[in-house]
Amino acid sequence: MRIEVRRDLQEKRIKDSSETQRDQLFTLSATEPRSHDTNNELSGDHDSTNTHHRESHQGSSSLSPFDCLMQSLAPTNTMVHDARAARDLRTAEELLTKEIDADRNNHYSYDNRSAVRAQLFEWDNALQDALISIAIQPSLKGYISKGIALCGKQQLWDAMEAFDLALLFSNHNQMTIEILLIKAIALFNSSRYDEAIRRVQDLAAARQSSETLQCSFVNSYLRVQRAIIVFKDGHYSEAADQLTASITTIADLFLCTTPKPRLGGPGLNGFTDVFTVLFGWDLDSLWQTANQRRCEALLRADRVIEAAGSHQYMMRMMGEAAKPSYLEWSAGEWSWSI
C-alpha cells in the first residue's frame, strides 16, 4: 500500500507538470485520454482498449523477462520496424509522425518516435515526445524514453528518477535487471563511461548466474565501444590492449564461428533485441568490428607482429563466406602500414 500511494503521488506530480506543455503541443480529440490504474499497470492486467498493449501480456508467464520487455518496447507498425532495422531512422521518424497525426492520443507512437529521435541525438525532441507519452498514459517505455533523453541532455539526476519510476511498471521481478542495464547504457551514452561499466559489473556481482551472462554481454559491448572511443582519440596502444581483453569474452558469449554471432542461446533469448530497439546497437558486426579495430590499433601503435597474429586469429575464426570482404579490408589496412 505504501508503494502504491507513493507511486500515485509521483505520477500525479509528473502528469500535472506535463499537462500545460501537452496542451500547447496538440489539441485533444473528443475522446478523453485513457486513465491509468496503478494496480492494473503493476499486474499487467489492463482494461485498456489498446489491443497491442493488452495482447502484449497474454501468455507472459511463458516468456522470458526480456521477451516481455521487448513486447512493451517494439513498434507495432511493421514499416517502422523495417525502417529501423535498416537503420533508416529518418523514414522511421516520418512514419511515426504520420501515426501521431492520425491519433494524437496513442502514447506508443510518441514512445517510439522518442526512441528514434534519441538515436538521432535529437535530445530535446526525444524528451518532448517522452513527456507527451507519459501525459497521455504513464508506461514502462515512456519513462525509459524519458530517462534516455534526459541522459542525452546531461540531466542525469532527473534521468535516474525517470528510470526509477520505470521500475514500477515491471510485471516481472526479474525485469529489474533489464531496466538497470538500460540505465547503465544511457549513462555510458552520456559519456559517463567508467561509471556505466562499474554499474554493470556491480550488478553482475549482485545477481544470480543466469543474469550474470546478460551483464557480461552488456559489459563486453560497452568495453568495445569504450576502446573504440580511445582509438579515435589517438591512443592506439591503449585501445589495442582494451580490445584484446574484450575479444575472448565476446567470442565465448557469441559462440562465434562467423562475424555474425548466434544470439539466441540460453540466457540471451530475446535479450539483445531490446538494445537494438532502444539504442540502435549493431550486434551482428560486434565481433568483426572489435577484431578489425584491434588490427588497426596494433598497426598504428607499431606493434606489427601482434597485428599479424590478430589478423590470423580473425581469419581462423570467421566463416568462408565472410572472408572475401575481410580480405579486401585487410589489404587496404596493411598497405597503409607499409
Side-chain angles (χ1 to χ4, degrees):
M1 179 64 69
R2 291 175 63 189
I3 293 174
E4 292 174 0
V5 170
R6 180 184 175 190
R7 181 180 161 208
D8 285 338
L9 289 174
Q10 289 171 322
E11 289 178 4
K12 185 177 185 303
R13 184 188 64 188
I14 291 173
K15 290 174 74 175
D16 289 345
S17 65
S18 301
E19 193 65 31
T20 301
Q21 180 183 13
R22 179 187 170 203
D23 290 341
Q24 291 173 346
L25 291 168
F26 58 86
T27 302
L28 293 174
S29 64
T31 304
E32 291 295 324
R34 291 179 291 275
S35 63
H36 172 69
D37 183 276
T38 300
N39 292 328
N40 285 348
E41 185 69 23
L42 286 172
S43 67
D45 181 15
H46 299 269
D47 293 326
S48 168
T49 57
N50 189 294
T51 303
H52 169 72
H53 197 50
R54 183 172 62 251
E55 291 178 348
S56 69
H57 293 282
Q58 292 176 349
S60 61
S61 60
S62 64
L63 297 174
S64 72
F66 283 106
D67 286 330
C68 293
L69 181 60
M70 189 60 197
Q71 284 187 340
S72 299
L73 301 180
T76 57
N77 186 321
T78 56
M79 294 177 65
V80 174
H81 179 275
D82 292 345
R84 292 179 69 172
R87 307 193 185 282
D88 187 356
L89 297 178
R90 287 300 179 192
T91 296
E93 183 184 25
E94 291 173 5
L95 290 169
L96 289 165
T97 299
K98 290 179 181 179
E99 281 188 10
I100 290 168
D101 290 341
D103 181 4
R104 292 185 178 272
N105 287 327
N106 186 344
H107 70 98
Y108 295 106
S109 298
Y110 285 103
D111 289 337
N112 287 314
R113 194 171 70 174
S114 176
V116 169
R117 287 175 163 178
Q119 290 178 40
L120 291 167
F121 307 107
E122 296 177 356
W123 304 116
D124 288 333
N125 290 334
L127 178 59
Q128 184 181 69
D129 281 347
L131 291 174
I132 295 172
S133 171
I134 292 169
I136 296 171
Q137 180 169 311
S139 66
L140 172 67
K141 191 174 182 181
Y143 283 109
I144 288 176
S145 297
K146 180 181 178 182
I148 291 171
L150 286 168
C151 274
K153 288 171 64 63
Q154 301 297 313
Q155 297 178 20
L156 300 183
W157 183 266
D158 292 337
M160 296 304 102
E161 180 182 2
F163 286 123
D164 290 342
L165 290 172
L167 290 169
L168 298 175
F169 291 82
S170 61
N171 54 9
H172 286 272
N173 289 335
Q174 296 151 300
M175 284 179 68
T176 300
I177 189 160
E178 298 98 281
I179 298 172
L180 292 175
L181 288 171
I182 290 168
K183 190 175 181 179
I185 295 165
L187 272 176
F188 185 93
N189 290 345
S190 65
S191 303
R192 299 297 184 98
Y193 308 124
D194 294 337
E195 181 182 353
I197 291 171
R198 178 188 58 76
R199 282 175 178 251
V200 175
Q201 291 175 331
D202 289 347
L203 189 57
R207 302 302 293 181
Q208 300 298 319
S209 59
S210 62
E211 292 159 336
T212 300
L213 177 63
Q214 295 150 358
C215 293
S216 296
F217 175 86
V218 172
N219 182 56
S220 296
Y221 193 96
L222 294 183
R223 285 187 175 279
V224 170
Q225 299 309 309
R226 181 72 181 105
I228 290 173
I229 292 167
V230 172
F231 175 91
K232 291 179 178 178
D233 288 341
H235 304 294
Y236 302 125
S237 190
E238 181 183 352
D241 291 339
Q242 290 184 15
L243 288 165
T244 297
S246 299
I247 283 172
T248 300
T249 303
I250 293 171
D252 291 341
L253 285 172
F254 283 50
L255 304 176
C256 198
T257 56
T258 71
K260 183 176 181 178
R262 297 196 294 272
L263 297 175
L268 291 177
N269 189 27
F271 167 74
T272 56
D273 291 339
V274 171
F275 304 114
T276 299
V277 168
L278 287 177
F279 301 107
W281 279 14
D282 184 4
L283 301 167
D284 290 344
S285 64
L286 178 62
W287 185 85
Q288 182 172 335
T289 298
N291 278 275
Q292 287 179 337
R293 287 290 184 161
R294 179 172 67 165
C295 284
E296 293 171 0
L298 289 167
L299 285 172
R300 284 162 172 75
D302 293 326
R303 296 162 61 176
V304 179
I305 295 176
E306 292 173 83
S310 177
H311 181 273
Q312 291 171 357
Y313 166 81
M314 190 170 183
M315 292 297 295
R316 186 170 64 252
M317 292 291 290
M318 68 170 40
E320 292 297 323
K323 285 184 178 179
S325 62
Y326 177 69
L327 287 171
E328 182 179 354
W329 167 84
S330 61
E333 189 61 27
W334 284 102
S335 64
W336 172 88
S337 65
I338 296 174

